[in-house]
Amino acid sequence: MRKIFLIELNGPAETGKDTFVKYFKEIGLANNCIIRNFHKSDKPKELLKCLGWNREKNQDARTVLAGMTEVYTKSEKCIQDFKTVCYELLLNPAANHFNAVLFFQSRDKETGRLNQAIKDIEILIDDPVKYVSVYLYRNGVENTEINYWSAEMGEYDVILKLENGIENTKKAAENFFYRLFGGDENDNE
């Protein structure tokens, strides 16, 4: 039976969440696992690029992006987009025999709507879906949010500290992959 994980990923800005997912995806692909990342700021970023944004994450851009993401998150379009990503991942006949992971980066109080979408999708598939909440943090990055998010969303299933450096982030992603699917880098069964 395939394993399916829906992983809610949170943490302060500039912690390395996207980099973590990138390396998780690399190890997943090497182990016949399908990985998707639903990031609620992707659609607002696309709109900003159409308006001439050069993808520089300065304070002004972060402020505008945060506001646009908040509006998008509260819309039904966000939920529709999330369900579409889930359908593409979980209902694709070609992927029926592969393990799968869907990351969704959710830093707000709208998580309940996403969880309802997950329940709607579970009804359509035969395999159980395991939900895991993960909080990433890094020394040197402002960590005041952890208390807020823990109070608002309940305790996290996993809290990962990312050490500085790309190799450390890559190793953390690899360790988390094998924690979910069993084995280690020397035992890829």
Side-chain angles (χ1 to χ4, degrees):
M1 177 183 291
R2 69 179 174 161
K3 291 183 180 179
I4 301 170
F5 290 93
L6 294 169
I7 300 174
E8 177 184 5
L9 186 62
N10 290 300
E14 300 181 31
T15 298
K17 296 179 295 293
D18 290 326
T19 304
F20 178 84
V21 171
K22 172 187 166 187
Y23 289 122
F24 188 96
K25 186 181 277 191
E26 285 179 9
I27 192 68
L29 291 174
N31 286 277
N32 296 317
C33 184
I34 300 168
I35 314 292
R36 297 289 183 272
N37 187 24
F38 179 79
H39 197 307
K40 292 190 288 181
S41 69
D42 284 345
K43 293 288 183 182
K45 283 179 183 176
E46 288 175 22
L47 180 57
L48 278 178
K49 284 191 282 186
C50 291
L51 297 173
W53 179 49
N54 64 2
R55 298 185 53 97
E56 181 182 339
K57 291 184 177 179
N58 59 34
Q59 190 57 44
D60 289 340
R62 286 184 185 280
T63 300
V64 171
L65 185 58
M68 292 175 68
T69 300
E70 182 178 345
V71 170
Y72 170 68
T73 298
K74 291 178 181 178
S75 73
E76 282 306 309
K77 177 73 171 131
C78 178
I79 299 304
Q80 291 169 356
D81 291 344
F82 177 71
K83 285 183 176 182
T84 297
V85 170
C86 288
Y87 292 145
E88 289 170 356
L89 177 66
L90 301 177
L91 299 176
N92 180 346
N96 275 348
H97 303 290
F98 293 99
N99 291 329
V101 175
L102 172 63
F103 284 95
F104 62 96
Q105 296 190 30
S106 173
R107 295 170 41 119
D108 54 49
K109 297 177 186 176
E110 298 296 317
T111 307
R113 293 188 322 140
L114 293 178
N115 288 339
Q116 183 57 51
I118 292 167
K119 289 176 186 173
D120 294 346
I121 290 162
E122 273 187 312
I123 293 169
L124 300 175
I125 62 173
D126 293 330
D127 299 307
V129 177
K130 173 76 172 146
Y131 169 83
V132 181
S133 61
V134 177
Y135 185 88
L136 294 181
Y137 75 98
R138 178 185 307 278
N139 279 346
V141 174
E142 183 61 42
N143 287 320
T144 57
E145 294 178 12
I146 190 167
N147 293 330
Y148 173 78
W149 295 116
S150 294
E152 288 296 318
M153 297 168 62
E155 293 300 316
Y156 288 89
D157 298 317
V158 178
I159 296 177
L160 295 175
K161 177 183 176 187
L162 298 179
E163 300 293 337
N164 289 331
I166 295 295
E167 286 304 313
N168 290 325
T169 301
K170 187 174 186 177
K171 188 65 176 171
E174 182 177 70
N175 288 341
F176 185 59
F177 178 88
Y178 290 116
R179 184 174 172 182
L180 292 176
F181 291 102
D184 61 41
E185 62 268 14
N186 298 316
D187 180 16
N188 291 339
E189 294 184 11

